[in-house]
Amino acid sequence: MAESEHADPAPLAGITVVALEQAVSAPMCTRVLADFGARVIKVENPDGGDFARHYDDVVKGQAAHFVWANRGKESVTLNLKSEAGMAVLHRLLDEADVLVSNLAPGALARMGLAADDLKTSHPRVLPVQIDGYGAGGPISHKRAYDLLIQAESGACAVTGYPGMPAKPGPPVADISTGLYAALSVMALLYGRDRRDRATPGPVPAVAVSLFDTMTDIMGYQLTYTQHSGVDQQPLGMSSPAVAPYGAFRTRDGQTVVLGTTNDREWQRLARDIIERPDLADDPAYATNSDRVRHRDVLNEAIAAWCARHDLAHIQKTADDAGIGNSRYNLPSEVVAHPHLSARDRWRPVDTPNGQITALRPPPVIEGFEQPMGPVPGLGQHTDAVLSGLLGMTDDEIAALREQGAIGPAYN
């Protein structure tokens, strides 16, 4: 939908977010806020900025992680080891509604920006701290990256195959933590005016850890183990919870994924798709628990049927029978997926090195389309933010640059 005069204003229009962020988790949080119309000022070290800028150079010389997680933001370079740089940061916070950070443990406290500090210095700012393990535990001090958290939380143990654990491909811990943080910001902003009227004072702080997020996402597996004493083994492209459910090769060399989630679906799959009424009638497979115990027998029967048919026939037969199915795709095939193009899911996004295309955010909101602003160059908006938001003169900005408090002028 093209933006029109009838479009609703952005839900977070007028909200200013200052971000002290690196990598994925906090940038994902602030990207979501920017997609909903918040002004996000990304404060970066003049010496290289967010280290995710340098992971690779595949996107017109830019890193894929960075362009994905940082559109719609303004980049301001500040040397926060300098007194003048910290003074500018405090002036930015005077104008801000939210501070989002995922710096290393203890970094904010050393800068005088911990939640308790902000209650005094910037009581209107909502502080959002994303960290690895949360406060108060024996490993709270440890650095945390997505793989480390996925291993610590048990996610790798339930991914892959028995004896061959694997990290889930997407950075699930980072992304989910960023989304939880963004949801927390939106909820607290929504209640801010009512809270001010009822109990005036500093806004509550938000702390979201990657470990807490991933242990929550592991809810099914942890609940199962807690009550059964069994560590479920990973099953590749299948599920330990239901059967039959998995990936099968087709006659034309493709891979189809078929699944059942209840007894009625099992009956339809056995009778109407693979034409095995003997399996449907056998009490040994009557319930899901029965089928989980005998998944190898059922998988063998389904695999034999799939091997005799092409993917298109299998999918049409499954659709007609009301059985869930999908095609196993490579990322290159998803990029060209007809369902994305038919639903107009791609949008142009500007970057310092030229325009790219990116997928629209998942929420489809009547009357509003997320702006998907440009990906910023390092320090691209330093002068504009300092002059426009803080009212600094050219001479004041030049003096900060001469002191090394801000990065070089952006070209």
Side-chain angles (χ1 to χ4, degrees):
M1 180 193 73
E3 187 175 353
S4 73
E5 61 181 353
H6 302 295
D8 293 335
L12 294 182
I15 296 297
T16 298
V17 179
V18 172
L20 302 175
E21 58 183 21
Q22 304 273 9
V24 176
S25 59
M28 178 56 61
C29 169
T30 56
R31 195 205 80 177
V32 170
L33 300 177
D35 282 341
F36 280 100
R39 181 181 190 180
V40 176
I41 299 173
K42 183 181 180 78
V43 175
E44 300 189 70
N45 187 332
D47 185 17
D50 184 339
F51 54 69
R53 286 183 177 274
H54 312 290
Y55 281 167
D56 55 59
D57 59 0
V58 302
V59 187
K60 298 179 181 290
Q62 304 158 113
H65 272 97
F66 188 85
V67 300
W68 161 61
N70 287 282
R71 63 169 181 255
K73 305 178 186 180
E74 299 170 77
S75 173
V76 172
T77 50
L78 290 180
N79 177 5
L80 298 182
K81 294 182 179 179
S82 73
E83 185 176 336
M86 282 300 301
V88 173
L89 176 60
H90 279 286
R91 291 184 62 180
L92 290 175
L93 290 173
D94 286 338
E95 307 298 326
D97 299 279
V98 183
L99 170 65
V100 176
S101 173
N102 67 334
L103 301 184
L108 285 182
R110 290 190 294 273
M111 296 163 61
L113 296 176
D116 287 343
D117 299 319
L118 292 176
K119 288 178 181 179
T120 301
S121 59
H122 304 284
R124 288 284 298 169
V125 171
L126 167 61
V128 181
Q129 172 66 32
I130 296 173
D131 64 13
Y133 294 99
I139 57 174
S140 297
H141 65 284
K142 293 175 69 68
R143 282 185 174 270
Y145 304 118
D146 186 84
L147 171 59
L148 307 180
I149 293 294
Q150 295 215 40
E152 192 81 35
S153 67
C156 293
V158 299
T159 308
Y161 294 91
M164 298 177 62
K167 173 194 173 297
V172 180
D174 281 333
I175 296 170
S176 301
T177 304
L179 293 177
Y180 267 120
L183 177 62
S184 300
V185 170
M186 292 182 181
L188 290 171
L189 289 176
Y190 174 77
R192 182 170 63 180
D193 290 341
R194 290 177 299 156
R195 183 181 62 251
D196 284 352
R197 290 195 295 270
T199 56
V203 296
V206 177
V208 187
S209 79
L210 277 74
F211 185 68
D212 290 345
T213 297
M214 279 309 299
T215 51
D216 183 51
I217 289 174
M218 285 284 292
Y220 160 71
Q221 286 88 353
L222 297 183
T223 301
Y224 185 96
T225 299
Q226 185 180 16
H227 293 277
S228 70
V230 174
D231 286 315
Q232 291 180 318
Q233 295 299 300
L235 296 172
M237 288 185 62
S238 187
S239 167
V242 293
Y245 190 23
F248 306 94
R249 294 292 288 174
T250 68
R251 184 173 64 181
D252 54 346
Q254 311 249 8
T255 299
V256 66
V257 179
L258 293 171
T260 61
T261 59
N262 57 62
D263 297 340
R264 293 185 301 278
E265 287 185 358
W266 157 244
Q267 290 292 320
R268 293 201 301 274
L269 187 148
R271 296 181 191 278
D272 302 338
I273 297 182
I274 66 173
E275 299 177 328
R276 289 290 304 272
D278 57 311
L279 296 178
D281 293 336
D282 194 326
Y285 315 122
T287 70
N288 182 65
S289 296
D290 297 328
R291 294 189 293 276
V292 167
R293 284 193 293 271
H294 300 290
R295 69 169 69 246
D296 291 345
V297 174
L298 305 184
N299 285 346
E300 183 179 349
I302 297 170
W305 181 82
C306 289
R308 298 195 300 270
H309 300 283
D310 292 345
L311 175 69
H313 172 80
I314 294 170
Q315 291 201 274
K316 184 179 186 310
T317 303
D319 286 341
D320 290 346
I323 297 299
N325 64 91
S326 68
R327 179 181 187 267
Y328 166 79
N329 286 314
L330 299 174
S332 56
E333 294 167 317
V334 178
V335 169
H337 205 298
H339 196 69
L340 294 174
S341 57
R343 297 176 59 246
D344 195 25
R345 295 297 300 166
W346 294 98
R347 289 291 183 273
V349 171
D350 290 326
T351 81
N353 293 354
Q355 194 173 85
I356 62 171
T357 56
L359 285 169
R360 293 172 58 187
V364 178
I365 302 171
E366 184 177 5
F368 171 73
E369 181 171 321
Q370 295 89 341
M372 296 181 66
V375 176
L378 178 60
Q380 181 176 352
H381 305 92
T382 302
D383 291 37
V385 169
L386 298 190
S387 62
L389 184 63
L390 303 186
M392 290 187 179
T393 66
D394 290 346
D395 287 344
E396 289 174 318
I397 295 172
L400 288 172
R401 189 158 280 131
E402 186 173 339
Q403 298 171 50
I406 62 177
Y410 184 79
N411 295 317

